[in-house]
Amino acid sequence: MNTTAKEPVWIPVSTVSEFPEDGGVCAKVYGEQIAIFHFSSRNEWFACENKCPHTGDMVLSRGMIGDSQGEPKVACPMHKKSFSLKTGACMSGEEYSIKTYPVHIEDGTVYIGIESPGTQG
């Protein structure tokens, strides 16, 4: 079994100036809705799937962001379940989780690291 992690394909999404400070935006990449968050107060960026695993609503990009004991999180605006933006784990006690993606900023452009459609397994 090959357990070597694949390098992500870096997809340019938009410029840094298009993102609200301490808020989120949704982008469609390879047919997937991805929520991207700019924690300007922490000078950090995070990305996750936009779909709330609780009900399947595409709303996480509109969720409230914050932290819990230093762990960055997003709360679903519909159901208030919170998810770690580092691990994707539900922080509200349930067994739900979300997929997270690496984010890279270069020359004022926001890039999302994903597996290309041909390498997803």
Side-chain angles (χ1 to χ4, degrees):
M1 181 163 115
N2 183 358
T3 58
T4 304
K6 295 179 179 138
E7 284 294 313
V9 175
W10 292 100
I11 308 298
V13 177
S14 189
T15 61
V16 168
S17 63
E18 295 296 317
F19 289 82
E21 292 188 3
D22 293 314
V25 170
C26 180
K28 198 167 191 179
V29 180
Y30 287 148
E32 293 183 51
Q33 288 190 31
I34 299 177
I36 306 158
F37 301 97
H38 179 201
F39 275 69
S40 59
S41 60
R42 297 168 59 122
N43 195 28
E44 293 182 294
W45 292 78
F46 297 95
C48 66
E49 64 182 299
N50 194 38
K51 181 169 67 173
C52 174
H54 176 231
T55 61
D57 294 326
M58 296 290 191
V59 295
L60 291 182
S61 63
R62 297 186 315 227
M64 287 194 69
I65 59 173
D67 69 67
S68 177
Q69 299 178 345
E71 182 78 11
K73 67 176 184 172
V74 61
C76 175
M78 303 285 291
H79 312 101
K80 309 303 182 233
K81 295 189 185 315
S82 294
F83 301 93
S84 165
L85 288 169
K86 286 187 176 180
T87 68
C90 183
M91 300 172 82
S92 305
E94 292 86 4
E95 293 191 27
Y96 301 112
S97 66
I98 58 173
K99 186 174 181 178
T100 60
Y101 301 88
V103 180
H104 173 71
I105 309 300
E106 185 175 325
D107 296 328
T109 300
V110 179
Y111 292 84
I112 303 299
I114 66 170
E115 291 183 27
S116 68
T119 62
Q120 293 178 354

